[in-house]
């Protein structure tokens, strides 16, 4: 059989390196490692692959191409039922015939160590024909633009419009109209732990086990089973403690699919861990967008109309299975969400490019929408000579009497915008800072104060992906078991990528069952050991997973008290649980949970009940009446700008946030601080710098800047608690709150500092060079 020829689909024998044949002389045990040969070109035709020299290298087990993996893995294609235009070509684990971004995996080298695999990968020779590359969104949109992928009819991947009221009439009647251009550079997640996967296939049982640095094990079980044509019951996905994800680990990546396919093909455990260079070149990117916004207000600063036109960059393919539309759609529909606005028009067009696919990154489009709204508000306030805080306060939407909808169609209920506003001004001494700002300007020190009011979509339910026919679970589940020793085993569908969701769930259960935190054993992230659910994403961990845990704990509690009442010959209502034991209403100890469990499990015949309540219960929860639960808050930044150097220093930062019932203040504040730092990074530092030729110029942490400890200001946090009525627990999500508003607060603060120069920043991040350029442009123009 010639090298690269199709292999029998279900033959599980191993492939001999160097001969393109099968053999049984390779031991099944022993971990193998994969290194990928990736395209050095953003767009090129693959004319030939010569792996002869690589096959003879020490430790090499197999050299595999797209044709080899096609025998065990089917192509996949992102399709969204409500966005039929958002279709990209079918994807395969390894590029076949054509590479469409710099870094796309083309050849997999499998060896006994990562180092040996990398050595052999350097010896693989690929013959290329370089094709025209489209990097910029404007270039992709051009009528005569070359195609990003030669099988596509067009580079356009989304064209969506939305309107409410009569914006044209409102603009004609407005006292003041402001407009501004916004540009947001492409970012990536930069997780502490890179993408990592270990796949092991048992050829006798035809069972696949995948240990995966991922957020959604049940989604990936479904993907692996479908593409590898395995029954769901024979696929197990384990996502243990994951070192950061930020939404970037919600997609099915081609190189990770390749690892699973290789494990099936070779029948041996296979590992891949992306190094930092590979992460920059192959992780999903996000945030690349351009926006033109217009805002109309009356003489009192009341909002009359808003219009936005958004262009969004998708990369070479639509992320699978959730697509790449979220950033652009949210950038339109989340506009002016905290404010009363009747007249609105928005349009988003998304284009494919010869860059890595764009996907989900913390807060998904909401930071863009917040930035546009808040900056336009400041520009209008400046024209009307109204204080920026006052113009916001005059326009807050009112949800006290009943739920409302924003102009973009966002459902809002039980918000606390005015209360958060007042608390923030008090916390930061807003009046005093404004006075200090005026005094310092007279001395040539340019400080700015920026505000950003935000709505965060949390606890996302079935309405997001269900109508799109995307197989993503919206429910969360919790199984609780009372053990004979009185301990509680909890298995939850919620995963943990560093947010502390396990601790939060533990607290909810311990509080309800009256046991110590240490009495609860938590199992997460294992499709074989936990009940079905969606996992942690979109600020759902405690908002939905916590609700399922609370319901399970209350049900288990009722069962325990029913059994205790029967044993003690008293009403269950006269008993309670605390300190790991059953007490009566007078507070007297009646029996330990361990004694009760041992009796129920080993001597149930002694319990005078016709039917014994279960000591293992499971509860699931998915919001059905609302598509999500909105949280709200306000942020403020205090910055100083050096006009000569263009340097920006963030002096202080404040957040007042309402995430409903706060379960663990330390975890909540940690999430907010982390989100704020990510937002500051977006506004001031982070950018994937691509040339016009589609080559990434800063694929290392030496050149891709993220905020370090010295760049992070003191972040002051306060809370307003308005429990949501959508759940019994009353918790809203909080994981993305900091990111939603932080960049917008930096935008408004920096532009406030630049007011004496008549300059307004337009492009994120605000590098020193860009700051100097905007100041020079005002003086030279």
């Amino acid at each position: 059989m010639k090298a690269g020829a199709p292999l029998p689909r279900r033959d599980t024998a191993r492939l001999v390196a160097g001969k393109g044949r099968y053999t049984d002389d390779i031991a099944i045990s022993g971990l193998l490692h994969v290194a990928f040969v990736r395209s050095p070109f953003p767009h090129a035709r693959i004319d030939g692959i010569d792996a002869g020299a690589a096959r003879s290298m020490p430790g090499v087990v197999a050299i595999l191409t797209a044709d080899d993996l096609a025998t065990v893995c089917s192509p996949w294609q992102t399709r969204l039922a409500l966005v039929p235009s958002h279709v990209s070509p079918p994807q395969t684990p390894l590029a076949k015939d054509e590479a469409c971004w710099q870094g796309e995996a083309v050849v997999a080298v499998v060896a006994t160590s990562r180092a040996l695999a990398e050595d052999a990968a350097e010896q693989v020779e690929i013959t290329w024909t370089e094709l025209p590359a489209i990097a910029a969104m404007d270039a992709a949109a051009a009528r005569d633009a070359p195609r990003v992928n030669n099988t596509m009819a067009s580079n356009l991947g989304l064209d969506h419009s939305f309107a409410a009221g009569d914006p044209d009439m409102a603009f004609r009647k407005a006292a003041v109209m402001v407009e501004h251009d916004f540009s947001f550079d492409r970012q990536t997640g930069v997780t502490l732990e890179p993408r990592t996967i270990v796949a092991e296939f048992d050829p006798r049982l035809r069972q696949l086990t995948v240990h995966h640095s991922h957020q959604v094990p049940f989604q990936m079980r479904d993907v692996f089973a479908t593409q590898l044509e395995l029954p769901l019951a024979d696929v197990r996905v384990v996502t243990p403690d994951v070192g950061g994800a930020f939404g970037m680990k919600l997609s099915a990546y081609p190189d990770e699919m390749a690892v699973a396919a290789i494990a099936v093909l070779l029948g041996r455990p296979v590992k891949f861990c992306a190094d930092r260079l590979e992460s920059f070149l192959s992780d999903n990117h996000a945030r690349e967008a351009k926006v033109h916004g217009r805002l109309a207000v009356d003489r009192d600063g009341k909002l009359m109309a808003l219009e936005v036109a958004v262009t969004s960059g998708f990369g070479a393919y639509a992320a699978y299975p959730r697509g790449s539309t979220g950033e652009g759609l949210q950038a339109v529909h989340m506009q002016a969400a905290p404010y009363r606005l009747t007249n609105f028009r928005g349009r988003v067009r998304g284009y494919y490019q010869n860059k890595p696919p764009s996907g989900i990154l913390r807060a998904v489009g909401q930071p863009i929408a917040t930035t546009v709204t808040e900056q336009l508000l400041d520009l209008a306030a400046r024209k009307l000579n109204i204080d920026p805080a006052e113009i916001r306060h005059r326009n807050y939407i009112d949800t006290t009497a009943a739920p409302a909808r924003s102009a973009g169609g966002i459902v809002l209920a039980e918000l606390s915008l005015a209360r958060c506003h007042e608390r923030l001004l008090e916390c930061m001494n807003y009046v005093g800072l404004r006075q200090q700002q005026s005094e310092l300007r007279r001395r040539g020190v340019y400080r700015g104060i920026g505000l950003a009011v935000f709505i965060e979509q949390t606890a996302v339910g079935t309405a997001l992906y269900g109508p799109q026919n995307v197989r993503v679970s919206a429910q969360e589940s919790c199984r609780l078991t009372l053990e004979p020793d009185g301990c509680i085993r909890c298995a939850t569908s919620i995963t943990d990528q560093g947010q502390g969701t396990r601790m939060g769930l533990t607290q909810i259960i311990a509080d309800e069952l009256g046991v110590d935190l240490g009495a609860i054993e938590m199992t997460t992230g294992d499709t074989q050991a936990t009940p079905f659910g969606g996992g942690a994403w979109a600020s759902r961990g405690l908002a939905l997973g916590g609700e399922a845990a609370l319901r399970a704990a209350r049900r288990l509690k009722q069962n325990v008290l029913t059994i205790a009442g029967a044993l003690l010959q008293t009403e269950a209502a006269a008993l309670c649980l605390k300190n790991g034991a059953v007490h009566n209403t007078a507070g007297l100890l009646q029996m330990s949970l361990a004694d009760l469990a041992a009796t129920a499990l080993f001597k149930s015949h002694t319990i005078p009940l016709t039917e014994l309540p279960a000591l293992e219960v499971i509860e699931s929860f998915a919001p059905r009446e609302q598509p999500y639960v909105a949280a709200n808050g306000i942020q403020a930044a205090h910055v100083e700008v050096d006009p000569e150097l263009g340097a920006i220093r963030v002096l202080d930062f404040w957040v007042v946030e309402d995430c409903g019932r706060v379960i663990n203040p330390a975890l909540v504040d940690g999430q907010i601080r982390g989100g704020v730092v990510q937002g500051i990074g977006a506004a001031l530092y982070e950018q994937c710098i691509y040339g016009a030729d589609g080559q990434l110029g800063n694929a290392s942490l030496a050149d891709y800047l993220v905020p370090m400890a010295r760049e992070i200001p003191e972040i002051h946090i306060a809370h307003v608690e308005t429990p949501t009525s959508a759940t019994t627990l009353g918790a809203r999500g909080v994981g993305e709150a900091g990111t939603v508003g932080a960049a917008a607060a930096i935008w408004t603060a920096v532009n406030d500092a630049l007011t004496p120069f008549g300059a307004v920043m337009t492009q994120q991040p605000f590098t020193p060079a860009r700051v100097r350029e905007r100041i020079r442009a005002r003086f030279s123009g």
Side-chain angles (χ1 to χ4, degrees), residues 525-587:
D526 187 340
T527 60
Q528 197 172 84
T530 65
F532 189 83
W537 50 275
S539 300
R540 304 168 73 256
L542 289 190
L544 300 187
E547 179 70 9
L550 178 63
R551 294 183 179 201
R554 288 186 173 179
R555 186 171 155 201
L556 180 59
K557 176 182 178 179
Q558 184 59 46
N559 290 355
V560 167
L561 293 179
T562 299
I563 294 171
L567 289 171
L568 299 170
Q569 297 296 295
T570 187
E571 293 292 328
L575 302 171
C576 64
L577 298 179
K578 64 179 181 179
N579 300 325
V582 178
H583 293 71
N584 63 20
T585 52

Side-chain angles (χ1 to χ4, degrees), residues 606-628:
T606 65
I607 302 174
L609 287 172
T610 304
E611 185 174 343
L612 192 69
L615 294 184
E616 180 171 270
V617 301
I618 184 169
E619 286 284 344
S620 298
F621 177 73
R624 297 171 59 84
E625 295 182 1
Q626 297 179 198
Y628 41 76

Side-chain angles (χ1 to χ4, degrees), residues 5 59 183 266 320 335 348 376 395 433 465 484 510 533 573 580 633-634 636 688 708 741 753 780:
S183 180
L266 302 185
Y320 187 78
Q335 293 287 338
V348 55
L376 288 173
N395 284 286
L433 278 182
Y465 290 113
I634 182 170
C688 296
M708 306 295 282
S780 62

Side-chain angles (χ1 to χ4, degrees), residues 459 474-481 488-492 504-513 531 541-560 577 614-626 629 661 663 724-731:
Q475 77 170 29
E476 298 304 337
S477 305
C478 178
R479 183 173 63 243
L480 296 179
T481 306
I488 310 293
R489 276 194 300 114
C490 172
T492 174
L505 295 177
T506 298
Q507 287 182 253
I508 293 169
I509 296 164
D511 182 66
E512 191 65 28
L513 295 178
L542 289 190
L544 300 187
E547 179 70 9
L550 178 63
R551 294 183 179 201
R554 288 186 173 179
R555 186 171 155 201
L556 180 59
K557 176 182 178 179
Q558 184 59 46
N559 290 355
V560 167
L577 298 179
L615 294 184
E616 180 171 270
V617 301
I618 184 169
E619 286 284 344
S620 298
F621 177 73
R624 297 171 59 84
E625 295 182 1
Q626 297 179 198
V629 176
R661 181 183 174 189
I663 305 300
T724 174
S725 61
T727 64
T728 307
L729 183 64

Side-chain angles (χ1 to χ4, degrees), residues 362 635 653-655 670-682 707 712-713 715 717 736-743 746:
R362 196 176 193 172
Q635 303 184 22
F653 205 97
W654 297 266
V655 181
Q671 282 291 289
I672 291 172
R673 285 193 172 92
V676 166
V677 171
Q678 211 159 10
I680 291 173
I712 300 171
I715 301 171
I717 299 172
E736 297 170 309
T739 309
V740 174
I746 296 295

Side-chain angles (χ1 to χ4, degrees), residues 17 32-33 54-62 109-113 116-117 120 268:
L32 300 177
H33 297 261
R55 289 192 175 100
S56 62
M57 297 284 287
V60 172
V61 174
V109 178
V110 187
T112 53
S113 75
L116 292 175
R268 295 181 62 180

Side-chain angles (χ1 to χ4, degrees), residues 423-484:
R423 184 78 185 276
L424 178 84
L425 299 189
E426 177 186 354
C427 289
M428 66 184 293
N429 185 19
Y430 181 78
V431 174
L433 278 182
R434 284 294 183 196
Q435 292 172 349
Q436 182 191 70
Q437 179 188 42
S438 298
E439 295 168 3
L440 289 173
R441 279 184 180 174
R442 289 192 289 269
R443 291 155 43 189
V445 177
Y446 300 97
R447 291 187 176 179
I449 302 165
L451 302 177
V453 183
F454 67 92
I455 299 292
E456 179 196 4
Q457 288 184 341
T458 80
V460 174
T462 59
L464 180 59
Y465 290 113
Q468 301 282 10
N469 291 337
V470 175
R471 291 167 64 91
V472 171
S473 173
Q475 77 170 29
E476 298 304 337
S477 305
C478 178
R479 183 173 63 243
L480 296 179
T481 306
L482 176 60
E483 297 285 12

